[in-house]
Structure formats: structure tokens, C-alpha cells
Amino acid sequence: QLQLVESGGGSVQAGGSLRLSCEVSGLILDYYSLWWVRQAPGKEREGVACISSLGGSTNYADSVKGRFTISRDNAKNTTSLQMDNLNPEDTAVYYCAANGDSSPYCRLDYDGMDYWGIGTLVTVFS
């Protein structure tokens, strides 16, 4: 059964850290580029970070560059998002998404991913 299940969300004080994980089942992850996308209340969905299927090149939104790190472990069929120095503007539901491709690059503004998780809520309080 194909599933993307996020975990690791929660509430944290500004300046703190969280690590989100996404466990993928039903796919051979080697052939998929992976994204973390967030949606804050009243705002549009925003690509935060992505990692390509070939070569593992990464791309980050300017708002998280230097604070967030995306990674993937194809052997464990997981992707993670390490989030450091969080601020209240990072409060959102975070989704992982996967798209089947064979690409050395990924675009943050791409919104046509094949598969999505149900999301995990991150709340950052000051």
C-alpha cells in the first residue's frame, strides 16, 4: 500500500529545533524526487525544500536557507527535514511529497507531485 507518513511535528519555542521525518511505503524511493511543502494558516502552499532523485541535489526557499536541511535515505525509504533556529513564521502544516522522475534537479515551485502525505503540524511560539 502506497503511503507517505510524516512525523516529528509539535510545538517549540522560537530558536528551537525540530526534525521531521517522512516514511514512504509502496515506492522504490531511488526513482523519486522528494519535497517538503508547508502551508500556514491563511496562506498559500509553499515549497520549503526539495532533493532530487539523481545525485541528491537540494534546493531551499530563501526563508529557510541556512536553517533547514533536507536529506534522504533510499535504503530506509525515508526523507527528513532538520529545522533549526525556528521562528514563529515557520508555523505551518508540513507535507512531504514525492514525484517519479530521473532528474538531477528539483524545482521548489513544482506543484504536480505524484504523491503526498497528510501533513504534520509545526507550531513555533515566541
Coordinates of all heavy atoms in Angstrom, one line a residue, residues 62-114:
D62 N 14.3 30.7 0.1 CA 15.2 31.7 0.8 C 14.9 31.9 2.2 O 15.8 32.1 3.0 CB 15.0 33.1 0.1 CG 15.6 33.1 -1.3 OD1 16.5 32.2 -1.6 OD2 15.3 34.0 -2.1
S63 N 13.6 31.7 2.6 CA 13.2 32.0 4.0 C 13.8 30.9 5.0 O 13.8 31.2 6.2 CB 11.7 32.0 4.1 OG 11.2 30.8 3.6
V64 N 14.3 29.8 4.4 CA 14.8 28.7 5.3 C 16.2 28.4 5.1 O 16.8 27.5 5.8 CB 13.9 27.4 5.2 CG1 12.4 27.8 5.4 CG2 14.1 26.7 3.9
K65 N 16.8 29.0 4.1 CA 18.2 28.7 3.7 C 19.1 28.9 4.9 O 19.0 29.9 5.6 CB 18.6 29.5 2.5 CG 19.4 28.8 1.5 CD 19.6 29.7 0.2 CE 18.5 29.4 -0.8 NZ 18.8 30.2 -2.0
G66 N 19.9 27.9 5.2 CA 20.9 28.1 6.3 C 20.3 27.6 7.6 O 21.0 27.4 8.6
R67 N 19.0 27.3 7.7 CA 18.3 26.9 8.9 C 17.8 25.5 8.7 O 17.7 24.7 9.7 CB 17.2 27.8 9.3 CG 17.6 29.2 9.5 CD 16.5 30.1 10.1 NE 15.4 30.2 9.2 CZ 14.1 29.8 9.5 NH1 13.9 29.2 10.7 NH2 13.1 29.9 8.6
F68 N 17.3 25.1 7.5 CA 16.7 23.8 7.3 C 17.6 23.0 6.4 O 18.3 23.5 5.5 CB 15.3 24.0 6.5 CG 14.2 24.6 7.4 CD1 14.4 25.2 8.6 CD2 12.9 24.5 6.9 CE1 13.4 25.7 9.3 CE2 11.9 25.0 7.6 CZ 12.1 25.6 8.8
T69 N 17.6 21.7 6.7 CA 18.4 20.7 5.9 C 17.5 19.5 5.5 O 17.0 18.9 6.4 CB 19.6 20.2 6.6 OG1 20.4 21.4 7.0 CG2 20.5 19.3 5.7
I70 N 17.4 19.3 4.2 CA 16.6 18.1 3.7 C 17.6 17.0 3.5 O 18.8 17.2 3.0 CB 15.8 18.4 2.5 CG1 14.9 17.3 2.1 CG2 16.7 18.8 1.3 CD1 13.9 17.6 0.9
S71 N 17.2 15.8 3.7 CA 18.0 14.6 3.4 C 17.1 13.4 3.0 O 15.9 13.5 3.2 CB 18.9 14.2 4.7 OG 18.0 13.9 5.8
R72 N 17.8 12.4 2.5 CA 17.0 11.2 2.1 C 17.8 10.0 2.4 O 19.1 10.0 2.4 CB 16.6 11.3 0.6 CG 17.8 11.3 -0.3 CD 17.3 11.5 -1.8 NE 16.5 10.4 -2.2 CZ 15.6 10.6 -3.2 NH1 15.4 11.8 -3.8 NH2 14.8 9.6 -3.6
D73 N 17.2 8.9 2.7 CA 17.8 7.6 2.9 C 17.0 6.6 2.1 O 16.0 6.1 2.5 CB 17.8 7.2 4.4 CG 18.6 6.0 4.7 OD1 18.7 5.1 3.8 OD2 19.1 5.8 5.8
N74 N 17.5 6.3 0.9 CA 16.8 5.4 0.0 C 16.7 4.0 0.5 O 15.7 3.3 0.3 CB 17.4 5.4 -1.4 CG 17.2 6.7 -2.1 OD1 16.4 7.6 -1.7 ND2 18.0 6.9 -3.2
A75 N 17.7 3.6 1.3 CA 17.6 2.2 1.8 C 16.5 2.1 2.9 O 15.9 1.0 3.0 CB 19.0 1.9 2.4
K76 N 16.3 3.2 3.6 CA 15.2 3.1 4.6 C 13.9 3.7 4.1 O 12.9 3.8 4.9 CB 15.7 3.9 5.8 CG 16.9 3.3 6.6 CD 17.2 4.1 7.8 CE 18.4 3.4 8.5 NZ 18.8 4.2 9.7
N77 N 13.9 4.2 2.9 CA 12.7 4.8 2.3 C 12.2 5.9 3.1 O 11.0 6.0 3.4 CB 11.6 3.7 2.1 CG 11.5 3.3 0.6 OD1 12.4 3.3 -0.1 ND2 10.3 3.0 0.2
T78 N 13.1 6.8 3.5 CA 12.7 8.0 4.3 C 13.3 9.3 3.8 O 14.3 9.2 3.1 CB 13.1 7.8 5.8 OG1 14.5 7.6 5.8 CG2 12.4 6.6 6.4
T79 N 12.6 10.4 4.1 CA 13.2 11.7 3.9 C 13.0 12.4 5.2 O 12.0 12.2 5.9 CB 12.6 12.4 2.7 OG1 13.2 13.7 2.6 CG2 11.1 12.6 2.9
S80 N 13.9 13.3 5.5 CA 13.9 14.1 6.7 C 14.1 15.6 6.4 O 14.7 15.9 5.4 CB 14.9 13.6 7.7 OG 14.7 12.3 8.1
L81 N 13.6 16.4 7.4 CA 13.8 17.8 7.3 C 14.2 18.3 8.7 O 13.4 18.3 9.6 CB 12.5 18.6 6.9 CG 12.7 20.1 6.7 CD1 13.6 20.3 5.4 CD2 11.3 20.7 6.5
Q82 N 15.5 18.6 8.8 CA 16.0 19.1 10.1 C 15.8 20.6 10.0 O 16.3 21.3 9.1 CB 17.5 18.8 10.2 CG 18.2 19.5 11.4 CD 17.7 18.8 12.7 OE1 17.5 17.6 12.8 NE2 17.5 19.7 13.7
M83 N 15.1 21.1 11.1 CA 14.7 22.5 11.1 C 15.4 23.2 12.4 O 15.0 22.8 13.5 CB 13.2 22.7 11.2 CG 12.5 22.0 10.0 SD 10.8 22.3 9.9 CE 10.2 21.6 11.5
D84 N 16.3 24.1 12.2 CA 16.9 24.8 13.3 C 16.6 26.2 13.3 O 16.1 26.8 12.3 CB 18.5 24.6 13.1 CG 18.9 23.1 13.2 OD1 18.4 22.4 14.1 OD2 19.8 22.7 12.4
N85 N 16.8 26.8 14.5 CA 16.6 28.3 14.7 C 15.2 28.6 14.2 O 15.0 29.6 13.4 CB 17.7 29.1 13.9 CG 17.7 30.5 14.4 OD1 17.2 30.9 15.4 ND2 18.2 31.4 13.5
L86 N 14.2 27.9 14.6 CA 12.8 28.1 14.2 C 12.3 29.5 14.6 O 12.7 30.0 15.7 CB 11.9 27.0 14.7 CG 12.1 25.7 13.9 CD1 11.6 24.5 14.7 CD2 11.4 25.7 12.6
N87 N 11.4 30.1 13.9 CA 10.8 31.3 14.3 C 9.3 31.1 14.0 O 8.8 30.2 13.3 CB 11.4 32.5 13.5 CG 11.2 32.4 12.0 OD1 10.1 32.3 11.5 ND2 12.4 32.3 11.3
P88 N 8.5 32.0 14.6 CA 7.0 31.9 14.5 C 6.5 31.9 13.1 O 5.4 31.2 12.8 CB 6.5 33.1 15.3 CG 7.5 33.4 16.3 CD 8.8 33.1 15.6
E89 N 7.2 32.5 12.1 CA 6.8 32.4 10.7 C 6.9 31.0 10.1 O 6.4 30.8 9.0 CB 7.6 33.4 9.9 CG 7.3 34.9 10.2 CD 7.8 35.4 11.5 OE1 8.9 34.9 12.0 OE2 7.1 36.1 12.2
D90 N 7.6 30.1 10.8 CA 7.7 28.7 10.3 C 6.5 27.9 10.7 O 6.4 26.7 10.3 CB 9.0 28.1 10.9 CG 10.2 28.8 10.4 OD1 10.3 29.1 9.2 OD2 11.1 29.0 11.2
T91 N 5.6 28.5 11.5 CA 4.4 27.7 11.9 C 3.5 27.4 10.7 O 3.2 28.3 9.9 CB 3.6 28.6 12.9 OG1 4.3 28.8 14.1 CG2 2.2 27.9 13.2
A92 N 3.3 26.1 10.5 CA 2.5 25.6 9.3 C 2.3 24.1 9.5 O 2.9 23.5 10.3 CB 3.3 25.9 8.1
V93 N 1.5 23.6 8.6 CA 1.4 22.2 8.4 C 2.4 21.8 7.3 O 2.5 22.5 6.3 CB 0.0 21.7 7.9 CG1 0.0 20.2 7.6 CG2 -1.0 22.1 9.0
Y94 N 3.3 20.9 7.6 CA 4.3 20.5 6.7 C 4.0 19.1 6.1 O 3.6 18.2 6.8 CB 5.7 20.3 7.5 CG 6.3 21.7 7.8 CD1 5.7 22.5 8.8 CD2 7.4 22.1 7.1 CE1 6.3 23.7 9.1 CE2 8.0 23.4 7.4 CZ 7.4 24.2 8.4 OH 7.9 25.4 8.7
Y95 N 4.1 19.1 4.7 CA 3.8 17.9 4.0 C 5.1 17.4 3.3 O 5.9 18.2 2.8 CB 2.8 18.2 2.9 CG 1.5 18.7 3.4 CD1 1.3 20.1 3.6 CD2 0.4 17.9 3.7 CE1 0.1 20.6 4.0 CE2 -0.8 18.4 4.1 CZ -0.9 19.8 4.3 OH -2.1 20.3 4.7
C96 N 5.2 16.1 3.2 CA 6.2 15.5 2.3 C 5.5 15.1 1.0 O 4.3 14.7 1.0 CB 7.0 14.4 2.9 SG 6.1 12.9 3.3
A97 N 6.2 15.1 -0.1 CA 5.7 14.8 -1.4 C 6.8 14.1 -2.2 O 8.0 14.4 -2.1 CB 5.1 16.0 -2.1
A98 N 6.3 13.3 -3.1 CA 7.3 12.5 -4.0 C 6.8 12.6 -5.4 O 5.6 12.5 -5.7 CB 7.4 11.1 -3.5
N99 N 7.7 12.7 -6.3 CA 7.4 12.7 -7.8 C 8.4 11.8 -8.5 O 9.6 11.9 -8.4 CB 7.5 14.1 -8.3 CG 6.9 14.2 -9.7 OD1 5.7 14.0 -9.8 ND2 7.7 14.5 -10.7
G100 N 7.8 10.9 -9.3 CA 8.6 10.0 -10.0 C 9.3 10.7 -11.2 O 8.7 11.2 -12.1
D101 N 10.6 10.6 -11.2 CA 11.4 11.3 -12.3 C 12.8 10.7 -12.2 O 13.2 9.9 -11.4 CB 11.4 12.8 -12.1 CG 12.0 13.3 -10.8 OD1 12.9 12.6 -10.3 OD2 11.6 14.3 -10.3
S102 N 13.6 11.1 -13.2 CA 15.0 10.7 -13.2 C 15.8 12.0 -13.5 O 16.2 12.2 -14.6 CB 15.3 9.7 -14.2 OG 14.7 8.5 -13.9
S103 N 15.8 12.9 -12.5 CA 16.3 14.2 -12.7 C 17.4 14.5 -11.7 O 17.3 14.2 -10.5 CB 15.1 15.2 -12.5 OG 15.6 16.5 -12.6
P104 N 18.4 15.2 -12.1 CA 19.5 15.7 -11.2 C 19.1 16.9 -10.5 O 19.8 17.4 -9.6 CB 20.7 15.9 -12.1 CG 20.1 16.2 -13.4 CD 18.7 15.5 -13.5
Y105 N 17.9 17.5 -10.8 CA 17.5 18.8 -10.2 C 16.1 18.7 -9.7 O 15.3 17.8 -10.2 CB 17.6 19.9 -11.2 CG 19.0 20.0 -11.8 CD1 19.2 19.6 -13.2 CD2 20.1 20.5 -11.1 CE1 20.4 19.7 -13.8 CE2 21.3 20.6 -11.7 CZ 21.5 20.2 -13.0 OH 22.7 20.3 -13.6
C106 N 15.7 19.5 -8.8 CA 14.3 19.7 -8.4 C 14.0 21.1 -8.3 O 14.8 22.0 -8.0 CB 14.1 18.9 -7.1 SG 15.0 19.6 -5.7
R107 N 12.7 21.5 -8.6 CA 12.2 22.8 -8.5 C 11.3 23.0 -7.4 O 10.4 22.3 -7.2 CB 11.5 23.2 -9.8 CG 12.3 23.4 -11.0 CD 11.5 23.5 -12.3 NE 10.3 24.2 -12.1 CZ 9.2 24.1 -12.8 NH1 9.1 23.3 -13.8 NH2 8.1 24.9 -12.6
L108 N 11.6 24.1 -6.6 CA 10.7 24.3 -5.4 C 9.3 24.8 -5.8 O 8.4 24.6 -5.1 CB 11.3 25.4 -4.6 CG 12.4 25.0 -3.6 CD1 12.8 26.2 -2.8 CD2 11.8 23.9 -2.6
D109 N 9.2 25.4 -7.0 CA 7.9 25.9 -7.4 C 7.0 24.8 -8.1 O 5.9 25.1 -8.5 CB 8.0 27.1 -8.3 CG 8.7 26.8 -9.6 OD1 9.4 25.7 -9.7 OD2 8.8 27.7 -10.5
Y110 N 7.6 23.6 -8.2 CA 6.8 22.5 -8.8 C 5.7 22.1 -7.9 O 5.9 21.9 -6.7 CB 7.7 21.3 -9.2 CG 7.0 20.2 -9.9 CD1 6.6 20.4 -11.2 CD2 6.9 19.0 -9.3 CE1 5.9 19.3 -11.8 CE2 6.2 17.9 -9.9 CZ 5.8 18.1 -11.2 OH 5.1 17.1 -11.9
D111 N 4.5 21.9 -8.4 CA 3.3 21.6 -7.6 C 2.6 20.4 -8.1 O 1.4 20.1 -7.7 CB 2.4 22.8 -7.5 CG 1.5 22.7 -6.3 OD1 1.8 22.1 -5.3 OD2 0.3 23.3 -6.4
G112 N 3.2 19.6 -9.0 CA 2.5 18.5 -9.6 C 3.0 17.1 -9.1 O 2.9 16.1 -9.8
M113 N 3.4 17.0 -7.8 CA 4.0 15.8 -7.3 C 3.0 14.6 -7.4 O 1.7 14.9 -7.2 CB 4.5 16.0 -5.9 CG 5.7 16.9 -5.8 SD 5.3 18.6 -6.0 CE 5.8 19.3 -4.5
D114 N 3.5 13.5 -7.6 CA 2.6 12.3 -7.7 C 1.9 11.9 -6.4 O 0.7 11.5 -6.4 CB 3.4 11.1 -8.2 CG 4.0 11.3 -9.6 OD1 3.3 11.9 -10.4 OD2 5.1 10.8 -9.8

